[in-house]
Amino acid sequence: MIDDELKVTTRQRDGIWIIDLEGDVTTFAEEAITGAYEGVTKEGAKYIIINSRQSDYINSAGIAILIGVVTEVNRQAQKLAISGLSPHFQKIFRMVGLAQYADIFATEEEAIAAMQRHQQAAVESAQ
Amino acid sequence: MAQTQATIELIFPSQLGYEKIAREAIGTLARNMGFDPERVEDLRTALSEACINAIEHGNQRQVQRRIHITCTISRNRLVLVISDEGLRFHPSQEIEAATIEQKLAGLASARGMGLMLIEQLVDECGFLPSRPGQGNRFRLAMYNPPRRHGSASA
């Protein structure tokens, strides 16, 4: 009855890896989220979006898991965005300071557009 | 509803996940009291964090130990007292949290944000006086309309 159910899946769209989260993001989510992140990193992901699709409940333990992902993203020189959060959880992410280290967007489409701008800027600076 | 003071009590085992039932129940109550939707979300998140602290720190996740929530409502105020069975005393100084920079640098645990969040989400919060071994009692209150960051009082 009280078990946390989180479904984590990954997909690629326009060269950007998306980790979809459906369900509660709590302490029980660590293995699934960290595993998904490690999986896309092994695939060579440089641009990653964590897309919260139906997460009604994200607590501080869940946020701590995402802080762990941000730590690895910084270490791997990847770019991370978070999308799909409700306005309430966008506010919570700002309160804990996570918004300084991962761009936060209301929708996946906005996150994709921002990532594409980053990709384009990286290509131009390499030329 | 709530023209006079009323008290509601919830009791559940120290098992993570039960806090979701508490947040649903208290969220429904706050909605019925006329709190605006964002304030209801604030209260639900604050209560969840207080319950998690009680489960993990107060009762050390010992399932047989109980978490007790007393909710007192009056016309414009909702007060919650979350009590555990006090295996570890919480001094009020623990409300300080490490910064995100310290967490990202590995200088502090990525956990430990609960009290900081609660403090920002509700009008009043704090531990009520209790002696070690007698249980921790954490009080939070919300007013409608808001009365941000007053001092905690029983």
Side-chain angles (χ1 to χ4, degrees):
Chain A
M1 181 182 72
I2 59 162
D3 290 349
D4 280 286
E5 289 185 14
L6 176 69
K7 185 178 170 193
V8 181
T9 52
T10 61
R11 60 194 159 98
Q12 202 175 9
R13 183 176 159 188
D14 301 331
I16 296 160
W17 279 93
I18 300 169
I19 300 172
D20 288 310
L21 309 182
E22 286 182 59
D24 298 339
V25 182
T26 68
T27 191
F28 302 110
E30 181 156 21
E31 194 177 328
I33 293 176
T34 304
Y37 166 72
E38 289 172 352
V40 300
T41 299
K42 276 183 191 159
E43 294 291 333
K46 288 292 174 199
Y47 298 90
I48 301 168
I49 297 170
I50 293 179
N51 183 43
S52 169
R53 299 180 70 171
Q54 290 171 10
S55 297
D56 173 55
Y57 182 37
I58 303 174
N59 65 24
S60 59
I63 293 170
I65 295 165
L66 298 179
I67 289 174
V69 171
V70 170
T71 303
E72 280 304 307
V73 161
N74 290 345
R75 206 170 282 160
Q76 303 282 343
Q78 296 161 317
K79 183 77 184 165
L80 177 69
I82 298 172
S83 65
L85 296 172
S86 70
H88 173 71
F89 286 114
Q90 289 182 41
K91 177 176 79 177
I92 296 293
F93 278 45
R94 285 194 294 273
M95 281 180 176
V96 301
L98 203 48
Q100 298 170 57
Y101 296 93
D103 294 332
I104 292 174
F105 300 94
T107 66
E108 178 185 325
E109 295 306 319
E110 291 174 48
I112 289 277
M115 285 296 200
Q116 286 174 333
R117 286 194 294 273
H118 283 296
Q119 283 176 317
Q120 185 62 33
V123 168
E124 287 170 4
S125 69
Q127 287 172 348
Chain B
M1 197 180 90
Q3 291 304 309
T4 57
Q5 185 165 295
T7 300
I8 294 161
E9 292 179 87
L10 299 170
I11 301 170
F12 57 86
S14 294
Q15 186 173 346
L16 291 172
Y18 276 104
E19 80 279 3
K20 290 191 288 186
I21 295 170
R23 72 195 280 274
E24 291 305 321
I26 301 301
T28 300
L29 192 60
R31 266 194 301 277
N32 289 344
M33 288 177 70
F35 282 91
D36 80 43
E38 182 55 23
R39 299 264 292 160
V40 172
E41 289 305 307
D42 290 349
L43 178 65
R44 279 158 44 97
T45 294
L47 173 60
S48 300
E49 295 300 328
C51 289
I52 291 167
N53 280 342
I55 292 168
E56 291 191 332
H57 302 300
N59 284 350
Q60 303 278 296
R61 292 202 198 194
Q62 294 182 17
V63 176
Q64 74 279 11
R65 295 188 179 270
R66 300 286 162 175
I67 304 299
H68 192 133
I69 300 173
T70 304
C71 174
T72 306
I73 56 174
S74 54
R75 187 179 55 81
N76 68 335
R77 188 177 74 160
L78 188 154
V79 178
L80 298 172
V81 176
I82 299 95
S83 307
D84 58 51
E85 296 185 7
L87 297 181
R88 178 180 154 188
F89 182 56
H90 281 277
S92 58
Q93 294 91 313
E94 285 191 14
I95 210 153
E96 296 296 329
T99 64
I100 184 91
E101 288 77 17
Q102 291 169 318
K103 292 175 188 297
L104 289 172
L107 301 174
S109 165
R111 297 290 307 274
M113 293 172 282
L115 288 174
M116 178 272 286
L117 277 176
I118 295 168
E119 192 180 35
Q120 294 185 69
L121 293 171
V122 301
D123 295 328
E124 298 172 354
C125 69
F127 285 98
L128 297 174
S130 65
R131 294 178 188 163
Q134 288 191 330
N136 305 295
R137 293 186 304 146
F138 187 78
R139 176 189 181 275
L140 58 89
M142 286 186 91
Y143 293 80
N144 192 19
R147 188 186 295 179
R148 285 286 182 190
H149 301 303
S151 60
S153 60

